[in-house]
Amino acid sequence: MAGMFSSIRKKLPGRNASIFWTTVLGTTGFYQYNKREGKKRMDYYCKRAEMVANETIGALDTPRKVHVYVAVPMGELGTRKARLHWEEYILPVFVAGALDYELTLVNDTVTDSDGGSERVVRGGVHSLVAEEVKERRRKEMEEDNEELKLWRTAIDERKKENEERARRNRAGASGGGGQELDISNWKPEPYPGTMDIVALGRETWVEAINGINDGAMGSLNYTIPPLVPLDSEEQERKNNAAERKISTDTAVAPTSPESSHDEEAADRSGMQVTDTAGAAVVSAEPEIAAPQPLPITVDYDRYASDAGNGAAIPGKIPAVAYISHMNITGWSNLPLRIWNFFHNQQNVDLYAQQALQVVFESTKRAARGAEELADMGKAEEEMTGWEGQERIDVVVEPAVAECLQIYDTQNDTAPRFSEEAHD
């Protein structure tokens, strides 16, 4: 018997090998368990979202569509982590709920001239949202104004012409001759209704609210953009300037006083003379730049009855939804990042539940004043990535805050399954 146990003991792994395989198998099993639980939680929220997808709509009704804005998170230099956050936690719920969306990634970075370091420029979401709100207000004014309709036609034609010129410039730069398929200028058909706004992260939320306030209270005047210069026209202009420079730089031999006198007389008579060497003498005239056309501004404010009055335009302001993004960065947060890696189901419960609130339009409610808008997502500012960053405050007029609607993403108020409701 002792010999049998000794032979079995020899076949068992040693102490170090046992510790190694126990650690590997335990870690792998814990990760697989977390992955399975996270998938189960995501399937749960997706099935709840399918309740909206299974609803029937009328033949003339327009399906809902939201505009998702994704900016660079604090502490990052690109939108990669925010995009992965969107694809992992929010997008599956939107797809399950058949919620159409338009995604805009705002990534504005500049390089400092002194040290060559790269930094993020904030304000891109602000300007895009403000222009979106203003454009909707302009189009509603154009419905009953023939003069503004004519201006709209001119604006659209100028935009199409600039897009075509930009396409020709790209085709010329790439050497494709315009024969290859170019989808860079492809745009979806304009949505006939109002697209609600989904802001991913605290920094995007603040810029979106400020943009809505600017679009609701700001001026509606629109400056028609100038024509984009074609590269071919620019090259032709440069060639002509070079030819004129060559003609004026023609070498001229020294002339005698008599020939100089003859040249002066010829210049007064408007004739061209030659010196004794036979070289033509051309008077160099300064190049006169072509006059630039003055910018054309369409005065929409002259017809605006709600200018500066946010309370008069509640139907023209889109509803806004905040979806948090707790971006964990820095070596000091490495233990927390490892914890999140093995407890992903809690992230699914947080973010997928917020996305579910957007799928159900019934979760919209009126904002409880400017204080609630300013405090939304404040917890993100405690993250490491916000240290040393310039923070933007929410600036919203009371008139806009009173008529602004938001999605209640901080509470799970979306409809549940019938069996859950009975429980």
Side-chain angles (χ1 to χ4, degrees):
M1 183 67 70
M4 182 180 66
F5 281 112
S6 61
S7 61
I8 296 176
R9 185 176 181 180
K10 291 180 181 180
K11 296 180 181 179
L12 293 175
R15 174 177 174 273
N16 293 337
S18 300
I19 295 175
F20 172 78
W21 286 112
T22 301
T23 303
V24 170
L25 295 178
T27 303
T28 304
F30 191 46
Y31 171 74
Q32 291 297 331
Y33 169 79
N34 165 73
K35 184 177 180 180
R36 184 185 64 187
E37 291 298 314
K39 187 176 183 304
K40 286 172 59 177
R41 299 302 299 168
M42 180 61 72
D43 291 342
Y44 165 74
Y45 288 107
C46 288
K47 287 182 180 180
R48 289 179 62 182
E50 289 176 359
M51 298 170 59
V52 179
N54 295 331
E55 295 178 356
T56 58
I57 61 175
L60 301 179
D61 294 338
T62 303
R64 288 181 60 220
K65 186 176 182 179
V66 295
H67 197 159
V68 182
Y69 285 95
V70 177
V72 179
M74 286 295 184
E76 302 291 337
L77 289 176
T79 58
R80 185 186 66 87
K81 293 184 69 173
R83 189 180 69 251
L84 294 177
H85 180 81
W86 149 261
E87 293 174 353
E88 183 175 0
Y89 300 110
I90 294 95
L91 180 58
V93 181
F94 280 13
V95 173
L99 178 60
D100 196 5
Y101 65 91
E102 182 175 327
L103 179 64
T104 300
L105 300 175
V106 183
N107 186 10
D108 297 332
T109 58
V110 295
T111 302
D112 295 333
S113 57
D114 51 357
S117 59
E118 191 176 8
R119 60 184 178 87
V120 178
V121 178
R122 301 291 174 181
V125 176
H126 181 152
S127 58
L128 291 174
V129 172
E131 184 59 28
E132 183 178 340
V133 175
K134 290 180 180 180
E135 191 67 10
R136 176 164 178 80
R137 293 176 59 193
R138 294 189 190 109
K139 290 185 177 181
E140 289 192 0
M141 292 170 56
E142 294 164 2
E143 295 178 356
D144 301 326
N145 192 303
E146 295 298 330
E147 180 181 353
L148 293 180
K149 287 182 180 179
L150 295 177
W151 280 116
R152 172 57 57 181
T153 302
I155 292 172
D156 292 342
E157 289 179 355
R158 175 59 59 88
K159 288 181 178 180
K160 291 180 181 179
E161 177 67 17
N162 282 341
E163 291 174 357
E164 176 63 21
R165 284 170 170 254
R167 186 196 65 80
R168 291 169 60 182
N169 288 340
R170 285 193 301 270
S174 61
Q179 301 297 325
E180 299 179 358
L181 180 62
D182 184 11
I183 62 173
S184 58
N185 276 332
W186 180 87
K187 294 181 180 179
E189 290 294 328
Y191 186 68
T194 301
M195 284 193 297
D196 293 339
I197 294 175
V198 178
L200 188 62
R202 164 72 179 180
E203 63 283 345
T204 310
W205 166 264
V206 173
E207 290 192 30
I209 295 299
N210 293 344
I212 290 177
N213 181 76
D214 188 14
M217 309 296 291
S219 173
L220 296 180
N221 291 346
Y222 183 84
T223 301
I224 300 179
L227 281 174
V228 175
L230 289 173
D231 291 345
S232 57
E233 295 177 353
E234 185 70 15
Q235 187 63 32
E236 183 179 358
R237 187 188 66 80
K238 291 181 179 179
N239 293 339
N240 293 337
E243 291 176 1
R244 287 195 298 269
K245 187 176 186 302
I246 292 174
S247 64
T248 57
D249 292 344
T250 304
V252 180
T255 59
S256 62
E258 292 79 3
S259 61
S260 300
H261 179 73
D262 295 339
E263 291 173 8
E264 294 176 0
D267 289 340
R268 289 194 297 269
S269 62
M271 297 174 57
Q272 181 181 9
V273 300
T274 58
D275 63 358
T276 56
V281 178
V282 182
S283 58
E285 299 179 356
E287 180 181 354
I288 301 176
Q292 297 295 328
L294 295 176
I296 302 175
T297 301
V298 184
D299 190 3
Y300 278 88
D301 291 343
R302 184 158 56 99
Y303 304 97
S305 60
D306 55 11
N309 183 14
I313 50 174
K316 306 171 189 178
I317 299 180
V320 196
Y322 163 74
I323 296 181
S324 59
H325 181 200
M326 309 300 288
N327 185 32
I328 305 175
T329 59
W331 289 102
S332 59
N333 288 324
L334 184 60
L336 182 58
R337 297 170 69 177
I338 296 176
W339 170 269
N340 278 341
F341 181 78
F342 289 106
H343 295 81
N344 191 45
Q345 63 269 22
Q346 64 183 11
N347 296 328
V348 174
D349 284 331
L350 174 61
Y351 303 125
Q353 177 262 322
Q354 294 178 354
L356 183 66
Q357 297 293 106
V358 181
V359 173
F360 285 92
E361 192 176 12
S362 59
T363 62
K364 284 195 299 187
R365 61 171 177 81
R368 301 187 181 99
E371 294 78 9
E372 182 184 21
L373 301 177
D375 294 338
M376 189 74 70
K378 271 282 190 180
E380 289 189 30
E381 297 186 358
E382 300 177 2
M383 307 300 293
T384 306
W386 285 76
E387 297 179 358
Q389 301 289 338
E390 183 179 356
R391 305 184 183 187
I392 306 174
D393 297 328
V394 174
V395 180
V396 58
E397 297 292 335
V400 178
E402 290 177 1
C403 62
L404 182 63
Q405 285 193 321
I406 63 174
Y407 287 85
D408 190 9
T409 56
Q410 305 306 301
N411 302 294
D412 190 359
T413 59
R416 299 176 179 270
F417 300 116
S418 57
E419 54 269 18
E420 288 185 321
H422 291 305
D423 294 341

